[in-house]
Amino acid sequence: MSLAIVNTRAQVGIDAPSVTVEVHISNGLPGVSMVGLPEMAVRESKDRVKSAIINSGFVFPTRKITINLAPADLPKEGGRYDLPIALGILMASQQIDAQHLGSTEVLGELALTGELRAVSGVLPAAIKAADAKHELWVPRANAQEAALPQHSRVRAADNLLQICAHLQQQELMPNITATARQTDAIEYRDLSDVTGQHLARRALEIAAAGAHSLLMFGPPGSGKTLLASRLPSILPPLTDAAALQVAAIYSVANGAHVRPNFWQPPFRAPHHTASAVALVGGGSHPRPGEISLAHNGVLFLDELPEFDRRALQVLREPLESGEIVISRAAQQVTYPANIQLVAAMNPCPCGFLGVHPPRCQCTLEQVRRYRHKLSGPLLDRIDMHVEVLPVSRELLLSHQPGEKSIDVRLRVQQARERQLQRQGCVNAQLTVEQIREYCQLSASDQRLLEQALQKIQLSARSTHRILKLARSIADLKAADTISAIHLSEALAYRNLDRPVM
């Protein structure tokens, strides 16, 4: 037959919409015509495909070849269409049999020799193919990534000849199964390294239990960065679905799903010179930024006021909605951004406000100007504001280890399990309706909260965050209801809502 159809997948963010490659060979002047919104890398595939077919021992048809990439309104980019185009040409010219491609999807870039090269974004395509109960053929370098989803059916090849031999039933490609995912815990630095700092350690545990955002402020050397770097050691592992979603983002971002541990929540710590685009993502073909790369994990911003103000403002929408929408003229891409923000800052420009004996030389106006680098709406979205003061010299030199991460992680995991059983999500993700249902207060506690709100002048958003925080504190105590002690502790973690005196 002179018409062949091969199924493949495009890449749009972490989505992989289905694409049909239609190849028609007809009489007329020899040439290749490609339609269906192909971009430059896709249009160049005809030269790679021609050389790969010839160098693999086949004949490139000297007739008119029309290639359609459907749907026509979906932009196509990258070298992932080389292999389906080559197979379409060989099937349309009747050099190989097409009867085995009915429920098969194909991805891969071709070298001029016919060798197959890896492509980025294979994992989202593998997830979609598994959902559709289709078999997926990929280059050998992408095999383990494509086999990650459960119930996936994957075959891999090194070159075009191996795939053609499989289609001709001469030498079948083996089924690929994912190697055992890493289950050993990563050797993160232990929380026991932190000397003293009982309030900050308590705040870190509460933040981990409910996935709450946390801002630590204090003098240089008081342990803010040290505490933040220990947070991954007390976080529970990801679920399979969450880990697969994180792996899909990394597959799109750098072409590989490989991370130190499949189930470990990501921890991203960009430098304060990072731009707004570096945080959000972007480009002519939008790629995920640091915020999306921290999805289902932690985004740590050290020296928070040193970040460009425009870069900080882009955090506001993801902290509220849990996703980032990047709009371009040709397309709109949505990346997930369900992050736990942890930040650190000095209390004043010189950094020594509140230190004893007094060392700060900053005026009240300088302190206010420094803190106003963080806008009110951004601070409003951060659940906890915790002051971290230096530990005494005697305690520091005593080298007394604190509680180990494994013990804290056990309490955090038990609190998370209570939340998932009760409402199906962590407390930081509670909706307004769920807050009314699961964060109810007694009449006396309601009056306590009203008095605090009147004194501190908190917004409705801050009020909801205090209630969610109190719910996490209660969960750590295995309490079914929020009491006055839980609410009072939650209110104490809103230091920066109070004016600078």
Side-chain angles (χ1 to χ4, degrees):
M1 67 178 183
S2 60
L3 176 66
I5 298 175
V6 182
N7 297 317
T8 185
R9 294 269 172 188
Q11 178 187 318
V12 180
I14 60 168
D15 191 18
S18 177
V19 171
T20 303
V21 178
E22 302 169 339
V23 180
H24 181 249
I25 299 178
S26 60
N27 295 325
L29 292 175
V32 179
S33 174
M34 188 178 298
V35 295
L37 274 186
E39 298 190 356
M40 182 58 69
V42 183
R43 290 198 297 268
E44 290 173 346
S45 67
K46 60 185 179 182
D47 298 315
R48 292 192 297 271
V49 167
K50 180 177 182 180
S51 295
I53 288 176
I54 294 172
N55 290 323
S56 297
F58 296 100
V59 177
F60 191 82
T62 55
R63 299 167 65 187
K64 183 179 179 181
I65 303 174
T66 304
I67 302 170
N68 179 39
L69 307 176
D73 59 347
L74 178 69
K76 321 297 188 305
E77 62 169 339
R80 58 177 50 221
Y81 303 100
D82 289 4
L83 182 56
I85 289 173
L87 292 177
I89 291 175
L90 291 176
M91 290 189 297
S93 60
Q94 300 181 359
Q95 298 184 65
I96 59 174
D97 195 352
Q99 63 180 344
H100 302 293
L101 278 181
S103 60
T104 301
E105 298 178 8
V106 182
L107 289 173
E109 180 180 336
L110 283 171
L112 299 184
T113 59
E115 299 293 319
L116 285 173
R117 290 175 174 160
V119 296
S120 64
V122 166
L123 185 53
I127 295 172
K128 289 290 188 179
D131 292 342
K133 296 181 171 54
H134 287 175
E135 191 170 78
L136 182 65
W137 296 357
V138 296
R140 183 82 60 187
N142 291 123
Q144 287 302 316
E145 180 181 353
L148 280 176
Q150 290 185 346
H151 311 301
S152 62
R153 294 184 296 140
V154 177
R155 296 183 188 269
D158 296 308
N159 51 58
L160 180 60
L161 271 177
Q162 288 183 2
I163 293 182
C164 294
H166 177 85
L167 286 170
Q168 297 297 102
Q169 302 290 303
Q170 296 173 356
E171 183 178 351
L172 298 182
M173 295 185 294
N175 289 310
I176 303 297
T177 55
T179 57
R181 299 168 181 169
Q182 298 181 29
T183 57
D184 296 334
I186 300 177
E187 292 298 327
Y188 276 117
R189 296 170 181 174
D190 201 275
L191 192 59
S192 61
D193 297 337
V194 181
T195 302
Q197 299 297 4
H198 301 294
L199 175 63
R201 288 171 59 101
R202 169 68 174 168
L204 202 67
E205 181 177 343
I206 296 170
H212 298 286
S213 51
L214 169 65
L215 172 60
M216 295 178 285
F217 63 97
S222 57
K224 304 183 296 295
T225 304
L226 184 72
L227 284 158
S229 66
R230 269 58 178 175
L231 177 58
S233 68
I234 64 174
L235 290 176
L238 298 173
T239 63
D240 274 358
L244 201 60
Q245 193 175 35
V246 172
I249 296 173
Y250 277 75
S251 175
V252 171
N254 53 27
H257 74 281
V258 178
R259 296 176 58 243
N261 190 296
F262 184 74
W263 285 285
Q264 189 70 32
F267 183 86
R268 305 292 296 189
H271 193 262
H272 65 258
T273 55
S275 65
V277 174
L279 292 177
V280 172
S284 56
H285 305 296
R287 291 286 185 264
E290 289 289 340
I291 297 176
S292 293
L293 291 172
H295 176 62
N296 288 333
V298 178
L299 177 67
F300 174 51
L301 302 182
D302 203 359
E303 305 295 345
L304 189 63
E306 302 302 327
F307 280 81
D308 182 72
R309 185 178 177 87
R310 182 167 171 265
L312 291 179
Q313 296 312 305
V314 303
L315 291 166
R316 289 160 56 173
E317 290 83 358
L319 286 175
E320 200 70 24
S321 64
E323 63 181 19
I324 287 178
V325 180
I326 305 174
S327 297
R328 295 293 180 265
Q331 60 181 325
Q332 186 180 77
V333 176
T334 300
Y335 284 113
N338 180 26
I339 62 170
Q340 181 178 0
L341 175 65
V342 177
M345 62 177 285
N346 295 327
C348 66
C350 76
F352 295 104
L353 181 66
V355 173
H356 299 285
R359 297 171 55 186
C360 179
Q361 301 296 322
C362 302
T363 65
L364 182 60
E365 182 58 32
Q366 287 175 323
V367 175
R368 285 175 174 164
R369 194 181 310 117
Y370 179 76
R371 294 191 180 182
H372 284 171
K373 290 182 179 180
L374 309 180
S375 68
L378 178 59
L379 278 177
D380 211 30
R381 287 168 166 83
I382 299 178
D383 299 345
M384 308 173 71
H385 314 151
V386 179
E387 186 174 13
V388 183
L389 295 175
V391 297
S392 65
R393 294 177 183 175
E394 293 78 9
L395 183 59
L396 184 64
L397 295 176
S398 68
H399 303 294
Q400 295 180 0
E403 190 177 17
K404 291 185 176 295
S405 292
I406 188 171
D407 299 322
V408 179
R409 184 168 64 242
L410 179 61
R411 294 197 297 269
V412 168
Q413 198 154 1
Q414 290 172 346
R416 288 268 184 113
E417 288 171 357
R418 289 178 61 87
Q419 296 164 34
L420 295 177
Q421 290 174 3
R422 181 178 60 239
Q423 69 232 6
C425 65
V426 294
N427 288 331
Q429 298 173 5
L430 288 172
T431 63
V432 175
E433 293 79 9
Q434 289 174 319
I435 291 173
R436 295 193 185 106
E437 182 176 357
Y438 302 115
C439 301
Q440 295 181 3
L441 301 177
S442 64
S444 59
D445 293 340
Q446 187 81 25
R447 287 193 296 271
L448 172 64
L449 180 59
E450 290 173 358
Q451 292 171 2
L453 297 181
Q454 186 176 5
K455 183 177 180 180
I456 309 175
Q457 296 295 315
L458 294 177
S459 68
R461 181 188 289 115
S462 296
T463 304
H464 287 158
R465 291 183 181 273
I466 287 172
L467 289 171
K468 290 188 281 188
L469 195 59
R471 180 67 266 177
S472 295
I473 296 171
D475 286 333
L476 281 170
K477 295 294 185 181
D480 293 329
T481 59
I482 299 174
S483 65
I485 191 171
H486 306 140
L487 186 60
S488 299
E489 186 176 359
L491 286 165
Y493 294 126
R494 299 292 302 190
N495 288 340
L496 291 182
D497 289 322
R498 300 163 178 80
V500 180
M501 301 304 294

